Amino acid sequence: MKIVAADIIVSSPDRNFVTLKITTDEGITGLGDATLNGRELSVASYLRDHVAPLLMGRDPHRIEDTWQFLYRSAYWRRGPVTMAAIAAVDVALWDIKAKAAGMPLYQLLGGASRTGIMAYGHASGRDIPELFDSIRRHLDEGFRSIRVQTSVPGINAVYGVAAQPSATGQRYDYEPAQRTPLPAEEDWDTRAYLRHLPSVFEAVRGEFGPELPLLHDGHHRMTPIQAAKLGKALEPYDLFWLEDCTPAENQEALRLVRQHTTTPLAIGEVFNTVWDYQTLIREQLIDYVRSAVTHTGGITAMRKLLDFAAQYQIKSGIHGPTDISPVGMAAALHLDLAIHNFGIQEYMKHTPLANEVFRQSFTFTDGYLHPGDQPGLGVELDEEVAARFPYEPAYLPFNRLKDGTIHDW
Ligand code: CS2
Ligand code: MG
């Protein structure tokens, strides 16, 4: 079998998605997600201008060799654009291999290690009553684990809280990328956030009881000692995890946090290779690996990363917001089903419009996801519908503190 075409499809039904479609001389095609929120065109160009020409004539079954070729022949290593491009090729080749074998992809990864994949949904609210409504709606939708994000008194726009109900009137999952020609400036005040958050979890535990798994995303904004303070303050509320409590390029920073709190820690959605985790995993400074298949070099690389983590009793918590396309989500689910050290899967539902572009066949039943048993990934892209939605510039916001200093968003 030989690769005869590699097409990059950029479509923006309600947010930008970048999809790689690889076609073989036997007519089997494979899809890979290459969406990098706010930098989509960089990955599209990397694929179109520097990767697609290299794939022509290659044997699609040689997945490991193709991965190593793309990683090492570029000379320049790592980074979100490179690893998203390699991920898209990798996942498309796994899709092709599984289709050729007539099996769902997870069967090629060792088969199912569980019957379903526990998902968590994104509850949010501008105040406690709205937050409770959002939690109830997610419970009604079947979620059995809930991420909790709220506004903070004194801060105008906080990550994770939809500013207003969507057109359908529903409290829509928070889509952070804004369709504006330039990134939007938001504000932040860590001390106000630290004063406020424990009372939110006290109220949620009071209303929903001790059992419901609750998660929270700190979104990279605290110093290590502030993260330690928050982790300690949240211990009475028994969180499933506190995510991105502090920027972790300096992996050693988590040593300080770990000394002060037993709140489980999840890190890594902005990472893109195993090297970003080496200290975090070896010193057991985290409990969950947060990377997405789409941003970390694909299934081939993500499997190796999670196997390394498994040696240290660290589990998966694969990133699954709406800026991971249904193709990237399906890749995550096949991996989630097969690995032993599965933790939890983030699940932010794509909109009906996105589901017109991507015909996905994974299921969500009573809080559990399943990739399905059709051959391959189980996702098809309707190129005719996709072509109706050309790229639109959209950027993630950025933060400034009250004195105007740029801060992590
Ligand atoms: C968030 C994401 O899902 C999460 O945990 O951190 O919503 C993140 O803000 C976006 O993926 C950025 O594009
Ligand atoms: Mg996050």
Side-chain angles (χ1 to χ4, degrees), residues 37 120 122 147 159 174 176 217 219-220 243-244 269 290 295 319-321 323 346 348 396 409:
N37 208 355
Y120 74 87
H122 288 189
R147 187 186 81 171
Y159 163 73
Y174 172 74
D217 192 346
H219 226 258
H220 325 280
E243 175 184 347
D244 284 332
E269 71 179 46
R290 275 293 281 146
H295 298 146
H319 194 212
D323 48 284
E346 178 177 14
M348 216 175 142
L396 290 168
W409 175 77

Side-chain angles (χ1 to χ4, degrees), residues 216-220 227 241-255 257-258 264-273 276-277 280-281 285-292 296 302 305-306 314-319:
H216 180 69
D217 192 346
H219 226 258
H220 325 280
W241 81 34
L242 171 61
E243 175 184 347
D244 284 332
C245 62
T246 189
E249 293 94 318
N250 169 21
Q251 299 179 50
E252 294 167 11
L254 275 298
R255 290 176 183 156
V257 182
R258 235 6 180 201
L265 301 176
I267 280 189
E269 71 179 46
V270 296
F271 291 169
N272 40 75
T273 71
D276 299 316
Y277 286 95
L280 294 175
I281 290 175
L285 301 178
I286 59 173
D287 303 283
Y288 296 93
V289 167
R290 275 293 281 146
S291 286
T296 320
M302 193 72 184
L305 166 56
L306 291 172
I314 295 170
K315 297 187 175 183
S316 71
I318 294 180
H319 194 212

